[in-house]
């Protein structure tokens, strides 16, 4: 139970006592009254107009007071010349003079959010003013509604400094998360996700409407209590819990459309023929546009209900959404239900909390990154449909031969359905032994399934070229995670000066997984699709396939503790420790120790600061922590087996099983050590507030594949602890109530961050890591060596063109040489240079929110400044070519002087700096209770996502993936970079009953 809820509960529990005290005091005062008493009444609401139950209304200078009821109403007798104060936990108190007024309408405003907000930390909560680590907290109600997107990541974009999120506009896009730079080379690089206290969560399973708060633990001093899985940071998601009071029901409906915001600038069919690129088949086809829908329609509906009494509170939600992507063959339908319940037993001595969520997502993913690239290359005079059979697609007739194919027909002539299923459930029993002392135990299950089927019809190109009647594939995978935890919590304050609290407990985690797949082809009947797998003749002909896999079981056993001390909220200290053992490691290094220490000094409470009136709060934080990383593949320390060949035995070929890979029983944890120093501040009557952090972290004993001797080893490489990585950066956040008036209010938040990551060593001085190889044997454009900075490109350095339009480059000594000169080829690795920087020098985001009466308006901006992008699009499709492939228009404008074949040169590297309008939202809230007693409020809103992008980048989309070891590429075979840039428009209505 959070502090706000507990205070609310205790207040309600003592209402009767307060009334008795009030009556006694009134009687005493009536005997010796020297002033007249009057009766006053009123309502207490929050800024949204919702009644606040349990608010205290107290006559100043006395103990005369009452609390508001469930409708926020109060009445009391008071001195006619007196004052009274209205207060409630989490809100700024307000004082009123009685004078001649008898009725009051009180609107409480949230109190200096940076001071009294409760943030979630490892195994507990803390008031924000007592936090000594680097933590960012976001309230679920503050996330913008109507953004759409594949996950809640869309709403989180730009809201946490130092957190970069990758993804596209596709409803099936997968998001990548990176906090404070790269965390590892081979082990996991993304933050640990914890949902309602259960580690290992999946953000795809969470509905935005169910989120109470999201707390991001950035530094090791905050995350060390989670041990091995916290090396890349921790994202804590807390879902909503019902509060005591009348039932509150909210219905939300959103209708959305989407359109292409930016098109690729390809040659038209007329230009294609004018430049003599290929044969004219007499048609005009925009292949890229043919892959897209015109303003696809999506919808989303949610229904939530919460409420309860002292003994039982329930929160429930239902969600349905149907999302259509801008690209054909791209969509999803979601169904979700959640039930959170809390039972108070034995007069509050025990609490039972249970949470359950089920979710299913049906996916249409027939398109692929190859579809986009083929659309770019195709002759625009080839017809989409078969001229001889206008109702049939042009699959392999007019204009198609060799490796060319119709990307629209490829999508439309196949059937695909992928179904994701999640089951999340946990139960916690908490026993309050004494005041401030409690114990609790939790058991949780997280089960995930994915099932897909795919069927190529008999008219599909694959079937025609293979001379088969259709092809079918089935696959299934299942993962189930179990968590058991128990811990004791203690909190006590001595003499209103010394405050101590602590946690001591243990945790057990287990994960298992399995999968299978099968494929068959050449079916007699096309209409049955993939639902009679045995009917395909490939099975009897020996061409069908079937496979299954069992993941090695993984277990984690941990013992942990945390202690906090505070002296008068002036000096604060936190210690945490976790000892954890993992089955992924051999017996020699199975256990690891992870710890942290942090301290805070509230400078503003010192005597020498008392005369500085404009500083309301100033706190210095310093933290140091050690975390581990065990997020790498199984089978590196314990032998696993696979079928690897057939061996003759007594004249019969028998399948044999052998080791999956070389094992290393001495393998141990990667270990991250991180130092963080931060400053929290609040100025000018809490009108301006923010924070600044500087951090440095070092990852030792990185897991890295190194060469192995054969024999005695079976394989040529083995995993060892050999490398070191460092991260250095800073983050800043500044918020302010820019204007506060009776009707008009303006709040603003700006965030900034910078990070530099270096691979200090990879063990051997000759060790290196290549990025992804470029298509068509173009080699590599990135290479990591010892002391390399993440984000550098490894390219030939452009030195101009010769008189014939041929490439000139700088060789290794800086001399200008032809790329190719007769029989001499200077395009060798020795002549490549490290150039550019794919990591922005500065990442900014800026949120502004305005309210005027019942209207609200918000705009979110985001910018990446001074970084480079290598455009494969321009490399492969932006040059004149001897082939019949279509090209980008820049081949005959910007690049018209080039008369040479493509090379991996920094000519295709350009500044990607951009300013993007992420979202604009406009809303109006109507107090519907004036018209209908059952509806308390109605909010109408219009939200635009991905509104505009301002940039001088000469490629398609400068917002490429900057996560991972090899950032900064606009790939041609990636749906992330080639998926159309869209603008998303949502019209929503929210009814509160």
């Amino acid at each position: 139970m959070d502090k706000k809820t507990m205070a609310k509960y205790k207040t309600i529990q003592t209402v009767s006592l307060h009334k008795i005290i009030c009556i006694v005091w009134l009687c005493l005062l009536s005997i010796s009254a020297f002033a007249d008493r009057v009766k006053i009444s009123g309502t207490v609401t929050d800024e949204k107009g919702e009644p606040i139950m349990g608010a205290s209304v107290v006559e100043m200078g006395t103990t005369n007071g009452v609390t508001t009821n469930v409708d926020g109403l109060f009445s009391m007798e008071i001195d006619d010349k007196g004052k009274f104060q209205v207060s409630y936990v989490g809100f700024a108190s307000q004082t009123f003079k009685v004078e001649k007024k008898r009725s009051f309408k009180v609107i409480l405003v949230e109190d200096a959010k940076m001071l009294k907000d409760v943030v979630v930390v490892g195994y507990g909560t803390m008031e924000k003013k007592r936090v000594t680590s680097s933590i960012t907290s976001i309230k679920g109600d503050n996330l913008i509604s109507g953004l759409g997107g594949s996950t809640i990541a869309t709403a989180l974009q730009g809201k946490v400094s130092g957190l970069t999120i990758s993804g596209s506009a596709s409803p099936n896009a997968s998001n990548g998360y990176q906090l404070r730079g790269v965390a590892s080379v081979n082990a996991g690089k993304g933050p640990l996700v914890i949902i309602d206290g259960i580690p290992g969560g999946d953000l795809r399973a969470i509905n935005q409407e169910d989120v109470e708060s999201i707390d991001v633990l950035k530094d090791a001093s905050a995350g060390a209590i989670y041990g091995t899985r916290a090396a890349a940071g921790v994202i804590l998601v807390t879902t909503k819990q019902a509060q005591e009071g009348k039932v509150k029901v909210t219905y939300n409906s959103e209708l959305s459309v989407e359109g292409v915001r930016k098109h690729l600038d390809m040659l038209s069919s007329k230009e294609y023929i004018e430049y003599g690129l290929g044969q004219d088949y007499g048609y005009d086809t925009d292949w890229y546009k043919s892959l897209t829908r015109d303003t696809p329609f999506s919808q989303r509906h949610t229904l939530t209900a919460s409420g309860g009494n002292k003994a039982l509170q329930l929160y429930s939600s239902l969600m349905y959404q149907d999302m259509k992507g801008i690209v054909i063959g791209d969509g999803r339908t979601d169904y979700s239900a959640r039930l959170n319940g809390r039972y108070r037993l034995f007069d509050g001595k025990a609490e039972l909390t249970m949470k359950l969520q089920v979710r299913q997502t049906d996916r249409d993913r027939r398109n692929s990154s190859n579809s986009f690239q083929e659309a770019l290359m195709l002759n625009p005079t080839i017809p989409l449909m078969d001229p001889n059979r206008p109702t049939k697609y042009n699959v392999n007739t007019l204009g198609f031969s060799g490796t060319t194919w119709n990307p629209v027909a490829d999508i439309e002539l196949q059937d695909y359905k992928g179904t994701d299923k999640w089951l999340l459930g946990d139960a916690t029993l908490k026993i309050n032994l004494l005041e401030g002392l409690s114990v609790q135990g939790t058991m949780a299950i997280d089960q995930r399934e994915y099932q897909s089927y795919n069927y190529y019809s008999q008219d599909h190109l694959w079937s025609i070229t293979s001379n088969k009647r259709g092809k079918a594939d089935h696959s299934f995978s299942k993962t189930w995670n179990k968590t058991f935890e128990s811990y004791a919590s203690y909190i006590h304050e001595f003499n209103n000066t010394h405050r101590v609290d602590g946690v001591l407990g243990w945790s057990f985690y287990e994960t298992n997984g399995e999968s299978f797949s099968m494929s068959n082809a050449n079916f007699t009947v096309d209409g049955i699709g993939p639902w009679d797998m045995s009917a395909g003749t490939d099975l009897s002909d020996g061409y069908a396939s079937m496979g299954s896999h069992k993941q090695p079981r993984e277990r984690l056993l941990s013992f942990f503790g945390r202690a906090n001390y505070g002296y008068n909220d002036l000096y604060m200290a936190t210690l945490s420790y976790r000892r954890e053992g993992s089955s992924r490691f051999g017996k020699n290094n199975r256990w690891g120790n992870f710890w942290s220490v942090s301290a805070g000094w509230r400078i503003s409470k010192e005597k020498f600061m008392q005369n500085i009136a404009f500083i309301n709060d100033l706190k210095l934080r310093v933290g140091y922590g050690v975390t581990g990383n065990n997020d790498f593949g199984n089978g590196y320390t314990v032998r696993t087996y696979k079928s690897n060949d057939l061996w003759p035995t007594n004249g019969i070929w028998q399948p044999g099983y052998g080791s999956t890979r070389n094992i290393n029983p001495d393998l141990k944890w990667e270990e991250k050590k991180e130092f963080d120093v931060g400053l929290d501040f609040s100025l000018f009557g809490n009108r301006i507030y923010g924070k600044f952090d500087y951090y440095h972290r070092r990852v030792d004993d990185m897991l890295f594949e190194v060469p192995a001797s054969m024999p005695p080893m079976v394989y040529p490489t083995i995993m060892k602890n050999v490398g070191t990585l460092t991260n250095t950066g800073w983050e800043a956040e500044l918020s302010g109530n820019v204007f506060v008036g009776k009707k008009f209010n303006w709040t603003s938040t700006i965030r900034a961050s910078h990070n530099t990551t270096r691979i200090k060593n990879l063990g051997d001085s000759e060790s290196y890591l290549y990025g992804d190889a470029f298509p068509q044997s173009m080699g590599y454009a990135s290479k990591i060596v010892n002391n390399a900075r993440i984000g550098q490109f490894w390219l030939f350095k452009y030195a101009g063109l010769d008189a014939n339009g041929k490439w000139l480059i700088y060789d290794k000594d800086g001399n200008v040489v032809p790329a190719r000169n007769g029989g001499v080829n200077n395009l060798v690795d020795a002549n490549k240079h490290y150039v550019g920087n794919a990591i922005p020098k500065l990442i900014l985001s800026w949120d502004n929110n305005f309210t005027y009466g019942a209207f609200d308006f918000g705009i979110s901006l985001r910018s990446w400044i001074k970084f480079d992008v290598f455009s494969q699009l321009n490399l492969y499709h932006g040059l004149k070519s001897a082939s019949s492939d279509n090209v980008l228009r820049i081949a005959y404008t910007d690049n018209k002087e080039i008369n040479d074949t493509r090379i991996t040169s920094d000519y295709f590297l350009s500044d990607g700096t951009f300013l993007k309008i992420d979202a604009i939202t406009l809303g109006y809230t109507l107090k519907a209770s004036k018209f209908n007693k059952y509806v308390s409020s109605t909010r109408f809103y219009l939200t635009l996502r991905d509104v505009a992008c301002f940039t001088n980048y000469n490629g398609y989309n400068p917002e490429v993936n900057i996560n991972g070891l090899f950032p900064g590429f606009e790939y041609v075979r990636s749906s992330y970079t080639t998926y159309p840039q869209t603008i998303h428009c949502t019209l929503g209505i929210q009814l509160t009953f």
Side-chain angles (χ1 to χ4, degrees):
M1 184 187 302
D2 60 25
K3 187 170 182 181
K4 184 174 177 179
T5 306
M6 186 178 291
K8 201 171 181 180
Y9 171 62
K10 288 182 178 179
T11 303
I12 296 170
Q13 200 174 36
T14 58
V15 169
S16 299
L17 180 60
H18 282 177
K19 288 184 176 179
I20 294 172
I21 293 174
C22 289
I23 293 171
V24 171
W25 273 102
L26 286 172
C27 292
L28 291 174
L29 289 171
S30 66
I31 297 173
S32 55
F34 295 100
D36 295 329
R37 309 292 289 177
V38 295
K39 188 173 183 178
I40 62 171
S41 62
T43 61
V44 180
T45 65
D46 62 14
E47 294 174 280
K48 296 179 181 179
E50 297 295 325
I52 297 178
M53 178 182 65
S56 296
V57 184
V58 179
E59 183 177 3
M60 300 289 287
T62 75
T63 56
N64 174 32
V66 296
T67 56
T68 56
N69 63 15
V70 294
D71 296 317
L73 301 174
F74 72 91
S75 64
M76 62 183 295
E77 289 193 355
I78 188 173
D79 189 327
D80 64 352
K81 296 181 180 179
K83 300 179 181 178
F84 67 94
Q85 185 181 70
V86 182
S87 61
Y88 186 69
V89 176
F91 291 80
S93 300
Q94 294 189 31
T95 302
F96 298 86
K97 291 182 180 180
V98 175
E99 298 179 338
K100 296 181 180 180
K101 199 172 182 181
R102 298 296 180 262
S103 180
F104 296 83
K105 184 178 181 180
V106 181
I107 300 175
L108 293 184
V109 179
E110 288 188 13
D111 187 16
K113 296 178 181 179
M114 76 304 296
L115 294 179
K116 287 197 173 182
D117 272 354
V118 174
V119 299
V120 180
V121 295
Y123 301 100
T125 59
M126 294 180 68
E127 282 191 55
K128 200 167 186 178
K129 66 180 181 181
R130 297 189 172 100
V131 170
T132 56
S133 301
S134 181
I135 300 175
T136 294
S137 183
I138 303 171
K139 300 303 179 185
D141 291 341
N142 292 337
L143 296 174
I144 297 176
S145 300
L147 289 176
S150 59
T151 70
I152 197 174
T154 308
L156 282 178
Q157 188 72 266
K159 299 297 183 280
V160 180
S161 58
L163 179 66
T164 53
I165 304 173
S166 64
S168 71
S170 169
N172 287 305
S174 58
N175 298 109
Y177 304 85
Q178 184 172 283
L179 185 62
R180 290 187 168 182
V182 177
S184 179
V185 170
N186 282 307
K189 306 174 185 68
L192 169 68
V193 176
I194 298 175
I195 300 174
D196 288 330
I198 308 304
D202 187 346
L203 288 178
R204 297 179 303 163
I206 295 298
N207 295 326
Q208 180 174 326
E209 293 82 1
D210 292 333
V211 173
E212 178 67 29
S213 66
I214 297 176
D215 298 270
V216 181
L217 313 186
K218 296 182 177 181
D219 66 344
S221 66
I225 197 167
Y226 288 110
T228 63
R229 293 174 286 178
V234 182
I235 298 176
L236 296 163
V237 179
T238 304
T239 60
K240 291 180 179 178
Q241 186 71 46
Q243 306 297 326
E244 185 179 335
K246 64 180 182 180
V247 176
K248 179 181 177 180
V249 177
T250 301
Y251 170 71
N252 207 81
S253 178
E254 296 176 352
L255 307 177
S256 305
V257 293
E258 200 164 17
V260 177
R261 178 167 52 83
K262 182 180 180 181
H263 293 270
L264 280 166
D265 194 13
M266 306 297 298
L267 293 181
S268 66
S269 58
K270 181 181 178 180
E271 292 167 324
Y272 179 86
I273 298 304
E274 285 179 353
Y275 289 122
L277 294 185
Q279 183 176 346
D280 184 0
Y281 292 98
Y283 292 85
D284 183 11
T285 306
D286 187 333
W287 286 104
Y288 199 84
K289 186 177 181 181
S290 297
L291 282 173
T292 63
R293 298 184 174 107
D294 294 326
T295 59
F297 174 77
S298 301
Q299 57 181 314
R300 177 183 175 88
H301 306 275
T302 60
L303 180 67
T304 65
S306 65
N309 53 32
K310 292 181 179 180
L312 170 64
Q313 300 95 45
L314 293 175
Y315 171 87
S316 59
S317 70
L318 296 171
M319 185 276 292
Y320 165 79
Q321 71 175 4
D322 180 40
M323 302 175 66
K324 294 289 189 297
I326 195 71
V327 177
I328 60 175
D330 187 25
R332 62 187 284 177
T333 303
D334 293 80
Y335 314 86
S336 176
R338 170 175 284 274
L339 179 63
N340 292 352
R342 179 172 56 201
Y343 303 82
R344 289 194 177 100
L345 311 170
F346 312 117
D347 297 324
K349 295 295 184 183
E351 297 176 17
L352 177 63
T353 302
M354 293 185 290
K355 298 180 180 181
L356 177 68
Q357 176 170 343
V358 292
R359 185 184 182 116
Q360 177 173 315
T361 299
D362 296 328
R363 303 181 186 274
D364 177 8
R365 291 200 292 201
R366 289 170 291 158
N367 72 85
S368 69
S369 58
N370 290 333
S371 303
F372 298 109
Q373 189 180 20
E374 188 66 18
L376 298 179
M377 298 166 59
L378 278 177
N379 181 336
T381 69
I382 296 175
L384 174 65
M385 308 303 291
D386 188 337
N388 299 318
R389 298 180 300 170
T391 60
K392 298 288 186 178
Y393 285 102
N394 179 17
V395 176
N396 67 333
T397 51
L398 189 61
F400 289 107
S401 62
T403 59
T404 60
W405 45 281
N406 185 332
V408 178
D410 176 70
I411 293 172
E412 298 291 8
L413 296 177
Q414 65 172 296
D415 190 16
Y416 177 94
K417 182 179 180 182
T419 300
D420 270 309
K421 293 181 181 180
W422 291 270
L423 173 63
L424 311 174
D426 64 84
T428 299
L429 177 61
K430 180 180 180 181
I431 300 175
N432 299 305
L433 300 175
L434 300 169
E435 184 176 356
L437 177 63
S438 64
V439 294
Q440 69 181 59
T442 298
M443 59 182 297
I445 185 171
D446 177 357
Q447 183 171 302
R448 309 170 194 177
E449 295 181 4
Y450 185 72
Q451 183 175 1
S452 68
Y453 69 81
N454 186 220
Y455 183 76
Y456 292 127
S457 76
Q458 296 180 11
D459 294 328
H460 194 278
L461 181 63
W462 183 92
S463 301
I464 295 171
T465 56
S466 303
N467 197 27
K468 300 286 180 71
R469 295 186 301 275
K471 178 187 176 185
D473 300 282
H474 275 267
S475 66
F476 175 83
S477 62
K478 179 180 179 180
T479 302
W480 58 98
N481 308 322
K482 295 181 288 187
T483 301
F484 300 91
E485 293 183 334
S486 181
Y487 60 89
S489 301
Y490 178 73
I491 181 171
H492 189 72
E493 191 165 347
F494 301 91
N495 301 323
N496 293 321
T497 303
H498 303 277
R499 178 187 176 90
V500 295
D501 66 84
V503 169
L504 187 65
W506 64 271
S507 175
F508 173 81
Y509 171 83
E510 179 179 298
T511 182
N512 296 271
E514 60 189 35
S515 62
F516 76 83
S517 61
M518 55 183 172
S519 178
N520 200 2
N522 210 25
F523 296 88
T524 304
V525 179
D526 202 34
I528 298 178
W531 299 114
D532 190 4
M533 290 294 288
S534 63
T537 63
D538 268 19
L539 182 63
S540 57
D541 295 339
Y543 297 116
S545 64
M546 183 178 294
S548 61
H549 175 70
K550 178 74 172 176
Q551 294 180 5
R553 181 186 64 192
E554 180 196 354
R555 285 178 169 176
L556 288 172
L557 179 61
S558 313
F559 303 93
F560 59 85
R562 186 190 70 240
N564 302 310
Y565 170 75
Y567 173 74
N568 199 30
D569 287 335
L570 177 62
Y571 307 113
M572 294 143 279
T574 300
L575 300 172
S576 72
Y577 174 78
R578 187 177 184 110
R579 179 166 174 78
E580 191 157 48
S582 170
S583 62
R584 282 189 174 178
F585 294 94
K587 60 182 181 181
N588 298 347
N589 291 294
R590 180 155 290 168
W591 289 87
N593 299 305
F594 311 101
W595 57 273
S596 72
V597 57
S598 60
W601 175 28
R602 176 155 283 105
I603 304 172
S604 56
K605 289 199 71 173
E606 296 285 3
K607 291 183 179 180
F608 60 80
M609 296 290 292
Q610 298 308 304
N611 293 327
I612 306 178
F614 72 90
I615 298 179
N616 302 104
D617 187 67
L618 184 64
K619 181 177 68 175
L620 178 68
R621 296 178 280 102
V622 180
Y624 181 84
V626 178
T627 57
N629 197 334
N630 77 328
D631 188 10
F632 64 100
N634 289 295
Y636 287 99
T637 62
V638 180
R639 195 171 300 281
T640 56
Y641 298 90
K642 67 176 181 178
S643 58
N644 55 7
D645 217 331
L646 294 174
W647 301 89
T649 305
N650 297 325
I652 300 175
W653 288 95
Q654 300 284 0
Y657 278 77
S659 298
T660 305
R661 56 175 63 92
N662 295 328
I663 64 169
N664 179 2
D666 295 320
L667 209 61
K668 59 182 179 180
W669 314 86
E670 287 190 352
E671 193 172 74
K672 181 191 80 173
K673 307 177 182 72
E674 183 171 3
F675 169 79
D676 185 285
V677 58
L679 192 69
D680 300 335
F681 57 89
S682 177
L683 311 172
F684 304 109
N686 297 324
R687 288 284 294 272
I688 299 175
Y689 47 94
K691 57 185 176 181
F692 177 86
D693 280 271
Y694 170 83
Y695 60 88
H696 176 79
R697 67 185 183 189
R698 177 186 176 97
V699 181
D700 291 315
D701 296 323
M702 281 197 308
L703 297 164
F704 189 66
E705 294 255 17
V706 298
S709 300
M710 295 176 61
M713 296 296 180
V714 179
Y715 297 96
T717 61
I718 186 171
M719 185 76 77
K720 286 189 175 181
N721 297 97
V722 294
T724 301
L725 172 154
T726 63
N727 273 311
T728 303
W730 57 265
E731 298 158 355
E733 183 173 317
L734 182 66
S735 300
N737 300 313
V738 181
F739 187 89
V740 179
K742 291 183 179 181
K743 284 190 175 183
F744 178 72
N745 293 277
W746 174 17
T747 61
S748 184
T749 297
I750 188 168
R751 307 171 190 88
S753 65
H754 167 78
N755 175 270
T756 300
T757 302
R758 284 190 179 274
I759 305 295
K760 300 298 289 185
N761 73 77
L762 293 169
D764 193 297
S765 60
E766 301 299 319
S767 295
Y768 58 86
L769 280 175
Y770 281 131
D772 293 332
F774 276 26
Q776 301 177 16
S777 302
M778 290 288 294
Y780 303 90
S782 50
K783 180 182 180 181
I784 294 177
V785 295
N786 289 339
N787 205 37
R789 175 169 47 84
I790 296 297
Q792 289 182 302
F793 300 90
W794 189 53
L795 303 166
F796 297 110
K797 198 169 182 181
Y798 173 69
L801 301 170
D802 67 13
N804 298 315
K806 304 298 183 182
W807 297 110
L808 299 175
I809 63 170
Y810 292 98
D811 67 9
K812 63 180 180 179
D813 299 317
N815 301 312
V816 177
V817 297
R820 303 177 186 88
N821 185 16
V824 179
N825 181 17
N826 289 312
L827 298 176
V828 294
D829 287 353
N831 287 331
K832 284 189 173 182
H833 298 258
Y834 284 97
V835 296
N837 175 40
I839 305 299
K841 295 290 186 182
L842 186 64
I843 295 179
L844 292 172
S845 67
W846 188 18
D847 295 338
N848 288 276
N849 294 286
F850 307 87
T851 60
Y852 181 80
F855 289 93
D856 62 87
F857 176 80
I859 182 170
S860 296
L861 308 174
R862 188 162 48 87
S863 180
W864 295 355
I865 298 174
K866 293 298 292 181
F867 74 107
D868 298 306
V869 178
F870 187 96
S871 176
Q872 281 192 354
L873 280 173
N874 289 346
L875 171 67
Y876 285 92
H877 305 293
L879 298 178
K880 291 177 289 186
S881 171
S883 72
S884 60
D885 293 345
N886 196 8
V887 293
L888 294 165
R889 184 168 282 106
I890 62 170
Y892 290 90
T893 55
D894 298 6
N895 302 333
K896 64 182 179 180
E897 302 299 330
I898 301 173
N899 296 306
D900 207 347
T901 57
R902 62 180 73 100
I903 64 173
T904 51
S905 160
D906 63 350
Y907 178 85
F908 301 99
L909 201 67
S910 58
D911 184 10
T913 298
F914 69 83
L915 171 63
K916 187 175 183 180
I917 303 177
D918 272 341
I920 295 176
T921 183
L922 174 65
Y924 177 79
T925 302
L926 176 68
K927 297 302 179 184
S929 56
K930 299 177 181 179
F931 312 101
N932 189 305
K933 65 178 181 179
Y934 299 111
V935 182
S936 61
S937 67
T938 302
R939 181 173 184 262
F940 304 92
Y941 56 93
L942 174 68
T943 300
L944 302 178
R945 188 193 78 207
D946 295 334
V947 181
C949 183
F950 306 97
T951 181
N952 289 324
Y953 174 61
N954 63 6
Y956 181 55
N957 183 8
E959 192 178 356
V960 296
N961 188 1
I962 58 171
N963 293 346
L965 295 171
F966 305 105
F969 290 93
E970 185 177 51
Y971 292 108
V972 291
R973 293 181 180 174
S974 167
S975 56
Y976 176 81
T977 53
T978 56
Y979 198 92
Q981 297 181 57
T982 65
I983 181 170
H984 184 94
C985 177
T986 298
L987 181 63
I989 181 173
Q990 183 182 76
L991 302 174
T992 303
F993 301 90

